């Protein structure tokens, strides 16, 4: 039979199912035999549940969205400039060897889809501009005499 | 975002070549995990923002020392935890007194059993979400760094004992016994902060 202190020392392992079947059974029996010990174990589990709830809230898809009153917004929302900050430091500390050009930094910050769309729009605009230029009538050569209508 | 093993190997190869596009991808894939871990360890957002960047810079520089006998994410946690421990020691040395009046006041209230916030008439009212989270966060900050790391890795990040052993370099028995002591210390700190025993139900 385990003493109360021995059972308390096994709360963590029992909660995490890390005990052998025999040891686990001994803890269960001790908890069943002592309501106060069982109460302590419930409080212990409640604390761990609260930790899990905190972790789950931080990983929620709503993380970062303003929370309704009474509900704490998770603090672990990643700062939007984390990547750009890393790039700046690397550029500075490498003397410009890494992330020395704007494109390499921009490529990490903007989503690839957005970059692809911007490039596509730029190509379409360039094509349209070229088409308009080629469709315009050619200007008269410089220095050519003006057309004269013969008198009748 | 979790990469499968093949994708991870390919990413590591590109990181070893100091491929900037691959590094961008890497940061975006792991920034939530790293920032969350660092924020929980330090309990200070500004410090966490700075340190999370340093973690990634360390990876960029020392990816060659990644041998591949653990997952990249586990190795990254190890880098992050080591950075956190060093930063906590540095801050402890630098700060000691008066660095953050509000935090210190809260910490003193917890260690001396004083009120952290207005004490509720009914204990179960204080057990509601946000209020309890604040008490837990303060209590976490009072744990020794080794204990805090184990609670954060196991109970907040949800890592397995095996992963924690890899990250901390501790044997299994030590991880289990320290985690138990850490949880017990956390419970005591929470109860001191609340001013009463945690309710059973």
């Amino acid at each position: 039979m385990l003493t109360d202190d021995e059972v308390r020392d096994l709360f963590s392992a029992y909660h995490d199912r890390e005990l052998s079947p025999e040891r686990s059974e001994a803890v269960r029996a001790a908890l069943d035999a002592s309501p106060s010990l069982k109460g302590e174990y419930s409080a212990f589990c409640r604390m761990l549940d609260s930790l899990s709830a905190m972790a789950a809230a931080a990983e929620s898809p709503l993380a970062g969205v303003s929370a309704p009153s009474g509900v704490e917004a998770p603090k672990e929302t990643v700062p939007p400039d984390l990547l750009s900050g890393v790039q700046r430091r690397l550029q500075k500390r490498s003397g410009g060897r890494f992330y020395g050009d704007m494109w390499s930094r921009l490529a990490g910050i903007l989503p690839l889809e957005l970059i692809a769309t911007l490039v596509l729009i730029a190509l379409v605009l360039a094509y349209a501009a070229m088409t308009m230029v080629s469709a315009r009538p050619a200007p008269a050569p410089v220095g050519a005499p003006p057309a004269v209508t013969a008198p009748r | 975002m979790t990469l499968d093993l093949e994708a991870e190997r390919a990413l590591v190869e590109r990181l070893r070549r100091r491929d900037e596009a691959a590094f961008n991808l890497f940061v975006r894939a792991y920034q939530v995990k790293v920032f969350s871990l660092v924020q929980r360890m330090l309990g200070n957002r500004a410090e966490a923002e700075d340190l999370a960047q340093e973690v990634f810079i360390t990876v960029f520089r020392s990816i060659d020392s990644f041998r591949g006998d653990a997952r990249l994410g586990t190795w990254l946690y190890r880098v992050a935890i080591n950075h956190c421990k060093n930063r906590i020691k540095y801050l402890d040395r630098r700060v000691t007194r008066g660095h953050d009046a509000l935090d210190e006041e809260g910490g003193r209230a917890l260690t001396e059993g004083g009120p952290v916030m207005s004490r509720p008439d009914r204990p179960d009212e204080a057990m509601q979400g946000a209020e309890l989270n604040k008490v837990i966060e303060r209590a976490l900050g009072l744990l020794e760094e080794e204990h805090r790391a184990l609670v954060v890795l196991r109970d907040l990040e949800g890592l397995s004992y095996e992963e924690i052993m890899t990250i901390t370099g501790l044997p299994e028995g030590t991880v289990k016994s320290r985690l138990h002591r850490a949880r017990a210390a956390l419970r005591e700190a929470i109860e001191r902060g609340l001013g009463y025993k945690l309710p059973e139900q």
Side-chain angles (χ1 to χ4, degrees):
Chain A
M1 186 71 182
L2 297 168
T3 65
D4 284 4
D5 280 343
E6 284 172 332
V7 175
R8 285 189 191 97
D9 283 345
L10 294 173
F11 276 180
S12 251
Y14 181 68
H15 175 273
D16 291 349
R17 296 186 168 82
E18 289 289 327
L19 295 178
S20 66
E22 300 77 29
R23 202 80 167 150
S24 183
E25 187 51 44
V27 172
R28 190 177 303 120
L31 293 177
D32 287 343
S34 167
S36 71
L37 206 54
K38 195 168 190 171
E40 279 184 47
Y41 180 67
S42 294
F44 178 83
C45 291
R46 183 129 196 227
M47 177 190 77
L48 297 185
D49 289 346
S50 299
L51 288 171
S52 301
M54 272 175 69
E59 284 165 15
S60 151
L62 293 175
V65 176
S66 54
S69 60
V71 178
E72 190 179 32
K75 280 186 174 176
E76 291 83 6
T77 315
V78 176
D81 59 347
L82 193 146
L83 175 57
S84 57
V86 173
Q87 292 171 340
R88 271 195 305 274
R89 288 185 189 189
L90 278 172
Q91 184 198 12
K92 194 174 173 187
R93 293 180 197 178
S94 69
R97 187 176 159 211
F98 298 109
Y99 294 106
D101 62 300
M102 191 189 71
W103 178 248
S104 62
R105 294 198 299 276
L106 212 57
I109 296 161
L110 298 178
L112 287 176
E113 296 82 359
L114 180 61
I115 294 172
T117 308
L118 290 175
V119 169
L120 202 62
I121 290 170
L123 287 173
V124 168
L125 288 175
Y127 178 76
M130 285 168 63
T131 311
M132 284 172 67
V133 168
S134 62
R136 200 179 290 165
V142 178
V148 177
T149 310
R152 293 194 173 183
Chain B
M1 177 175 159
T2 307
L3 301 171
D4 65 41
L5 207 53
E6 276 308 305
E8 186 176 298
R9 279 186 190 139
L11 179 63
V12 169
E13 277 312 304
R14 291 177 65 194
L15 290 177
R16 287 193 169 124
R17 294 196 299 268
R18 304 298 186 273
D19 178 332
E20 292 167 357
F23 187 67
N24 292 339
L25 183 70
F26 171 74
V27 175
R28 290 173 71 162
Y30 289 100
Q31 61 181 358
V32 173
K33 284 281 175 199
V34 168
F35 186 73
S36 151
L37 174 73
V38 170
Q39 158 87 4
R40 284 162 174 168
M41 283 295 291
L42 299 181
N44 176 313
R45 189 172 173 91
E47 288 289 343
E49 288 183 16
D50 177 63
L51 195 64
Q53 292 187 16
E54 290 302 323
V55 169
F56 284 112
I57 288 168
T58 299
V59 170
F60 187 84
R61 285 175 164 172
S62 60
I63 187 67
D64 296 326
S65 67
F66 173 64
R67 295 193 304 270
D69 41 11
R71 293 297 299 263
L72 181 61
T74 309
W75 181 73
L76 177 61
Y77 266 123
R78 186 173 196 157
V79 172
I81 283 285
N82 286 338
H83 263 290
C84 287
K85 287 179 178 174
N86 290 339
R87 181 64 63 96
I88 289 168
K89 281 177 190 155
Y90 167 76
L91 291 174
D92 281 350
R93 279 198 306 269
R94 195 191 66 174
V95 178
T96 53
R97 302 268 187 279
H99 156 65
D100 186 334
L102 279 175
D103 280 357
E104 197 173 9
E105 190 57 38
R108 192 184 307 122
L110 278 168
T111 49
E112 294 173 1
V116 171
M117 56 196 71
S118 60
R119 202 166 284 176
D121 295 333
R122 289 176 55 214
D124 56 322
E125 285 176 0
M127 293 300 290
Q128 304 297 319
E131 297 241 320
L132 179 62
N133 286 357
K134 282 180 191 164
V135 175
I136 292 176
E137 280 171 10
R138 286 191 186 281
L140 261 178
L142 294 174
L143 296 184
E144 290 171 27
E145 93 208 11
E146 287 282 350
H147 284 172
R148 198 185 314 169
L150 291 175
V151 170
V152 168
L153 291 173
R154 176 69 186 169
D155 295 322
L156 289 169
E157 299 298 325
L159 300 188
S160 68
Y161 279 92
E162 198 171 19
E163 287 170 313
I164 295 173
M165 285 156 55
T166 307
I167 291 164
T168 59
L170 296 171
E172 187 176 4
T174 310
V175 169
K176 285 181 180 174
S177 60
R178 278 194 197 170
L179 179 63
H180 169 68
R181 286 200 295 274
R183 284 167 166 175
L186 179 64
R187 187 183 161 190
E188 280 177 25
I190 291 171
E191 289 180 342
R192 276 201 304 274
L194 291 170
Y196 53 80
K197 294 261 181 197
L198 280 168
E200 295 162 14
Q201 295 300 323

